[in-house]
Structures are given as C-alpha cells and as structure tokens.
Amino acid sequence: MATCSAPGKIYLFGEHAVVYGEPAIACAVDLRTYVTAKRADFITINSDLGETGLDYEVHPYVSACINKMLGNGNRRFSLGTVGSPSGVSVEIRSDIPIGSGLGSSAAVTIAALQALNLEFSLGLAPDRIAELGHRIEAEVQGAASPTDTYVSTMGGLIALPSRRKLRLLDCDIVIGDTLQGASPKKTARMVSMVASLRDEFPNIINPIIKTIGSFASLGEKLLEERDYASLGKLMNIDHGMLDALGVGTAQLSALVYAARSAGAYGAKITGAGGGGCMVALTDRPEKVAMAIEDAGGKAIITRATELGVEVE
Ligand code: PMV
C-alpha cells in the first residue's frame, strides 16, 4: 500500500498573462490531497464524490492516472495480465476546494500518479510524474498549462516560465473562497473570454497583459528582500488589472476589499477568476480571515510550502 500527498497552489502574480508567455510566480501552499493506492482484485476509486470503478465522469483524473500507469497507456504493466493483480483500490482525501483555482485537479493527479508509481514499482522520477500529470490534465480538460502539475510535484515558490525556485515567502497566506463558480471547466472559459477581449481590443489588452507580466519580474526582487508591504501593493494593482481583463466578480472584489480593510499587505484574485478564490498576504491572519468570512467568503489560513509530492 502506498499513500502520497501533493499540494495545491496559488498564483502570486501572472495568471492569464502567463498564457501569452509573460512571467508569473506560483506558490505551493499547505493544503494537500492524499491518495492511497493498494493492489486489489478490482479497480475501485473512493472519494467524497462516491465509490466508482474507472469512471471518467465522477473521477476523471484518477481514472486517467490508472489507465496511463497500469492500463494500455503503459506497456510495462498491463491490467489483468497473468500473475499481476488485476486491479487497484484508490482512496482520495483532500483539503483543497474543488475547481476553485487552487490546483485541486493537479494535486489529485500528482498524488495518484506517485501512489501508483510506488505501489506498482514503476520507477518514474518526479520530472516524469509532472509531465504525465500535465498530459492527463490537458486530456481531461481539453487544455491546461503545466504550472499546476509542476508546482504540485516540486513544491515551493516557482518563477515561470523558467521554473526557477525562489526563496519561500514566510508570511501568512489567507485564501478566500467565494464558493461561487467552482467548475473544472471554468479556467478554459475564462482564458477564452480574455482571448476574445484581446482580439477585440488588442491595443488596450496587450499592454495590460504586459503590465501583469512585469509584476512577476519586480515581485521576484521584492520576495528576495522580503518586502511584503510593496509586494502587497503590487498584488492590489494586479487585482485591478485582472478585473480589467474581465475575470473579476463582485464577490471576489468584496473579499479582496475586506482583506485589505483588515490590514492585509495586499489581496487579489488567484487563478482563473470568474468566482473561485482570492488570496491575501498578511501578518494578521485571524483578523483577515474573519473579515473574509464576514464578507460572505470561506477563509482558509495557510502557508507556503517547499513540500511537493510526498510519501506519507
Ligand atoms: O484557476 P487555475 O488555478 O486553473 O489557474 C488558471 C491560470 C491561467 O493563467 C488563467 C491559465 C493557465 O493555464 O495558466
């Protein structure tokens, strides 16, 4: 039996602009998904969503992981071959809200791939796990950037597209979930909305995308200096830019403003927007969390983590 866990992530800077090749900074956070894989006679997948066999409706990511690692997708191991167990039982438990911009699908995919990797001694290195994870996300969602799966595999604070690890930020992070718009298809919808706006007004939208990219470059320096006050100001401006791209919502802004009023260094949308989550950096997490809850959101106090995919 093998149990592995993998973290969710936030974007400090650069969501949406990264789609157009601009730099971004993403950070693994201490919210994790745990997957246990155990050889068995049949295939079963168990989670809060219910118990299924291979089921691409209810458990699309884990079903794809099993198929890739143990099914036709892997010539080294074929489900049902003589002398091999013909199935696996997979149990999933997660701290990460689903489809809200925190990388829940990447975390379950990476934790499942690594648990299967260990349980069936397939010998895949972390780079390969990250790459397979990205391929599975892209297959299931139609399109996906490699950011979530990479950050979930490696952990830490990561500059993109270079994938350089930066010194971890050491202040508190408060996530505010609007509890609205959660859906695995939301990212693709938001990305295509920004693309349409850019087609319609290229001279206006392209400079906004460039400006968002410049936050990541400046943000790296500020992170190095641990200048959270200035980082927070940049996050606030970034939120305005994301709003200008059309991915904000009234509720996201309500949580962002509540966090700022409670003294956060800065607060912004994290991920695709259109609902989902915002993130604040702060040295007074309880106060910021309470303000987010008072504004109707669900607050989660967390920290950055160096831990990527881990054996439990
Ligand atoms: O909401 P998430 O965590 O899937 O983040 C989306 C980030 C985008 O830049 C909008 C898209 C991407 O693939 O990078």
Side-chain angles (χ1 to χ4, degrees):
M1 181 172 95
T3 299
C4 294
S5 71
K9 66 98 208 13
I10 54 163
Y11 269 98
L12 276 187
F13 299 109
E15 51 271 268
H16 286 288
V18 76
V19 173
Y20 300 95
E22 293 296 326
I25 301 177
C27 183
V29 291
D30 204 13
L31 294 171
R32 304 184 71 82
T33 297
Y34 302 81
V35 175
T36 299
K38 189 167 182 291
R39 289 168 187 256
D41 291 336
F42 304 99
I43 297 176
T44 51
I45 308 173
N46 236 299
S47 75
D48 285 347
L49 304 173
E51 178 169 311
T52 68
L54 271 192
D55 185 325
Y56 289 87
E57 290 296 316
V58 179
H59 292 120
Y61 297 97
V62 172
S63 296
C65 291
I66 293 172
N67 185 42
K68 238 329 146 254
M69 297 290 268
L70 310 179
N72 300 335
N74 185 350
R75 269 180 284 135
R76 286 181 54 197
F77 190 107
S78 164
L79 278 175
T81 51
V82 180
S84 304
S86 51
V88 60
S89 128
V90 175
E91 300 268 344
I92 306 160
R93 181 168 68 76
S94 185
D95 304 334
I96 309 172
I98 294 175
S100 304
L102 300 178
S104 60
S105 55
V108 76
T109 302
I110 296 302
L113 285 174
Q114 184 67 317
L116 292 165
N117 186 31
L118 298 182
E119 178 65 359
F120 293 92
S121 309
L122 299 173
L124 301 185
D127 272 2
R128 185 84 183 105
I129 294 281
E131 190 190 312
L132 268 179
H134 175 223
R135 214 181 308 155
I136 287 170
E137 271 215 316
E139 275 169 26
V140 172
Q141 298 172 5
S145 85
T147 306
D148 288 18
T149 34
Y150 187 80
V151 173
S152 192
T153 307
M154 304 301 175
L157 183 61
I158 295 184
L160 299 158
S162 66
R163 298 186 166 181
R164 235 167 347 101
K165 263 209 174 182
L166 307 175
R167 189 156 67 125
L168 208 61
L169 77 169
D170 62 355
C171 67
D172 280 292
I173 296 169
V174 183
I175 290 165
D177 189 346
T178 60
L179 306 172
Q180 293 174 350
S183 142
K185 300 216 172 7
K186 180 163 66 75
T187 299
R189 216 174 53 242
M190 291 295 127
V191 167
S192 102
M193 229 178 66
V194 172
S196 310
L197 200 62
R198 181 168 170 265
D199 286 345
E200 196 175 352
F201 303 111
N203 295 338
I204 292 168
I205 300 302
N206 281 328
I208 295 177
I209 287 170
K210 274 262 167 273
T211 303
I212 293 179
S214 69
F215 296 141
S217 318
L218 183 50
E220 258 191 59
K221 187 171 148 284
L222 297 173
L223 279 163
E224 197 51 47
E225 293 163 358
R226 300 228 183 282
D227 183 352
Y228 295 125
S230 303
L231 270 172
K233 285 184 200 158
L234 280 191
M235 288 170 74
N236 292 344
I237 307 172
D238 195 359
H239 180 75
M241 297 283 157
L242 289 166
D243 218 15
L245 291 183
V247 301
T249 66
Q251 186 58 4
L252 274 167
S253 281
L255 303 190
V256 161
Y257 281 96
R260 288 181 199 164
S261 303
Y265 295 118
K268 61 179 271 293
I269 291 166
T270 183
C277 291
M278 50 71 69
V279 62
L281 295 191
T282 183
D283 59 354
R284 49 189 83 170
E286 271 81 24
K287 196 159 176 242
V288 169
M290 209 181 297
I292 287 173
E293 297 263 339
D294 285 347
K298 181 175 180 330
I300 305 170
I301 298 175
T302 187
R303 305 277 293 182
T305 179
E306 286 290 4
L307 297 183
V309 66
E310 290 281 308
V311 183
E312 291 294 318

